[in-house]
Each structure stands twice: as C-alpha cells, then as structure tokens.
Amino acid sequence: MSNASRLLVVDDDQDLRDTLSEQLGLHEEFQVTTVDTGSAAIEAVKGDRIDLAIMDVGLPDMDGREAVKVMRQNGFRSPIIMLTGQGSDNDTVMGLEAGANDYVVKPFKFAVLLARIRAQLRQYEASEDAVFQIGPYTFRPGSKLLTNEKGSKLKLTEKETAILRYLYRAGQAVVGRDTLLTEVWGYNSNVTTHTLETHIYRLRQKIEADPSNARILVTEPGGYKLIP
C-alpha cells in the first residue's frame, strides 16, 4: 500500500535488524528501511520521508541519543522509539530529553513494540507535524497545505483538509458519503450530501490535472476513495 507508514530501524545488530524488518514487513501498513549507524540514520531522515524511527542506544559510531538530538536539530519531527538494554529511570529520562517519544527495553516482545509503534503513529497523525503523501502532493494537514513536486503550495480549507485526512487514513478503502458527512461535519442536520459533493468538486479543481476525469480522489459505488 503506497500510503504505508515508512519506518526506519537503526541497530548495529544485523540479526535484530533483519528480524524486525521481516516481522514489520509482514504488515502491509509498513514499509521498512534499515541502517546500522547513527550517522546513517541522520542522513536517512534528511532524504526520504520517514514516519517513525526505531533507534538503538548503543550504536558503533555514536550514542543513539546523540543521533536523536542531531535528527531533531535538523528538523526531523516524526516519532522516535529508543531501544535500550538498560531500563533505569535515568536512562529513560536521558533518551526522552534527547527527543525520543518512547522507550522499549531489550529483550522485548514484538507485539509490545508493534503496539508502541502504532500508538506513536496515531498520535503523530493527529499532530501539527504530520506529513503524508497523496499522489504528487505532500500533505500537511496541520498547515492545511498541499505542496506539489515543484514546490508550489495549495491552501486547503478546514473541511477539505478533514476530508483528505479521513480518506487517507482509510487507505484505499471506499468511504461512504454518510460516513464522511458524520466524520467531517458531525451530526449537523443542516448538512446534506450536496454539501459534501460541493467540497469534493472544489477539492478536485485544486488537486486533479483533469477534474472531470479524477485520478486521485475518485468516486466509487457508495462513496469516495483516494488513489495514492
């Protein structure tokens, strides 16, 4: 799924990297990249979009917490989960102060890490810092902005932003009109499907190369869906 969350696993233990990559890769909601040093992690988050990083503390070239600090200073805003062999309160505090969002102590159960990843991603998606890819656009719901590949920015209304955010979270599933009305407008008796259709029409005027032949925000029997 092309709107899968992009995860970066940073650990110098190849067996652990391979295991995490394999287990996370079994879930279609994730795309996984791995590196084995702090400097490689710093470079990785400068390039491609990374939605969450899993960082080991004990890296061969630097302390993982120092790498996190540099990543934050460079503008990386996505969640970071630290992996450590030590579970002391002081160790946890140091990691969180460096900019990590959560801490998992080795050895850990994969199900626990998976739950922590999903929880952090949910919080991130609801934050002002969230960034998603929709077709040729970078979508920043917190700023109500779409930016195309040439850097041109499209300003969205609050409702347009809410529609795109909800459709994005649905993956490529069809979302019914009544569901969108409830999620975006709430239980407002004055709002009809005509209101929704008007907003969909205006969104297509902004984001589609040919609004009469939609390729990104498409109509399906029963509702709408996004084609990433």
Side-chain angles (χ1 to χ4, degrees):
M1 193 164 64
S2 58
N3 64 347
S5 297
R6 301 180 183 185
L7 309 183
L8 176 68
V9 176
V10 187
D11 201 298
D12 62 336
D13 182 336
Q14 184 172 346
D15 289 340
L16 181 59
R17 284 200 316 275
D18 291 346
T19 298
L20 285 179
S21 180
E22 180 180 346
Q23 290 184 310
L24 290 166
L26 295 174
H27 299 267
E28 290 186 358
E29 68 200 91
F30 303 128
Q31 290 179 359
V32 185
T33 301
T34 67
V35 295
D36 58 0
T37 65
S39 55
I42 291 166
E43 289 304 310
V45 300
K46 283 182 184 176
D48 207 357
R49 190 191 90 233
I50 299 296
D51 297 308
L52 181 143
I54 302 165
M55 298 277 301
D56 187 31
V57 168
L59 297 171
D61 58 338
M62 67 175 74
D63 188 298
R65 290 165 294 210
E66 286 302 313
V68 167
K69 193 176 293 184
V70 174
M71 289 158 65
R72 293 304 193 204
Q73 290 169 350
N74 290 346
F76 183 66
R77 294 288 173 262
S78 298
I80 298 174
I81 297 176
M82 300 294 298
L83 302 180
T84 178
Q86 301 176 28
S88 70
D89 290 343
N90 185 55
D91 202 53
T92 302
V93 168
M94 288 173 62
L96 296 176
E97 287 184 344
N101 299 83
D102 200 357
Y103 238 77
V104 175
V105 179
K106 298 177 180 176
F108 54 84
K109 292 182 179 179
F110 177 73
V112 171
L113 178 62
L114 182 61
R116 298 283 186 89
I117 290 169
R118 287 172 170 160
Q120 288 297 329
L121 287 172
R122 282 196 301 273
Q123 291 179 31
Y124 176 65
E125 284 184 8
S127 76
E128 292 294 309
D129 295 322
V131 179
F132 308 121
Q133 196 69 32
I134 294 178
Y137 302 99
T138 300
F139 178 37
R140 289 178 170 81
S143 305
K144 301 183 181 69
L145 280 179
L146 286 173
T147 306
N148 68 16
E149 293 159 320
K150 296 179 180 178
S152 299
K153 294 180 179 179
L154 294 169
K155 189 68 177 173
L156 301 172
T157 68
E158 183 178 345
K159 297 304 186 191
E160 290 167 348
T161 301
I163 290 168
L164 285 184
R165 188 202 292 262
Y166 193 82
L167 289 174
Y168 180 89
R169 286 176 171 168
Q172 294 190 46
V174 176
V175 177
R177 291 174 177 82
D178 289 340
T179 300
L180 268 180
L181 281 170
T182 301
E183 293 294 333
V184 175
W185 279 272
Y187 292 98
N188 186 336
S189 59
N190 296 323
V191 175
T192 66
T193 54
H194 178 72
T195 304
L196 173 61
E197 287 157 4
T198 300
H199 279 78
I200 295 290
Y201 172 82
R202 289 176 181 165
L203 259 176
R204 284 177 174 154
Q205 297 297 314
K206 292 182 178 181
I207 70 175
E208 299 282 1
D210 178 5
S212 64
N213 184 26
R215 298 294 181 87
I216 301 172
L217 205 179
V218 301
T219 301
E220 294 283 349
Y224 303 98
K225 74 174 182 179
L226 279 181
I227 306 293

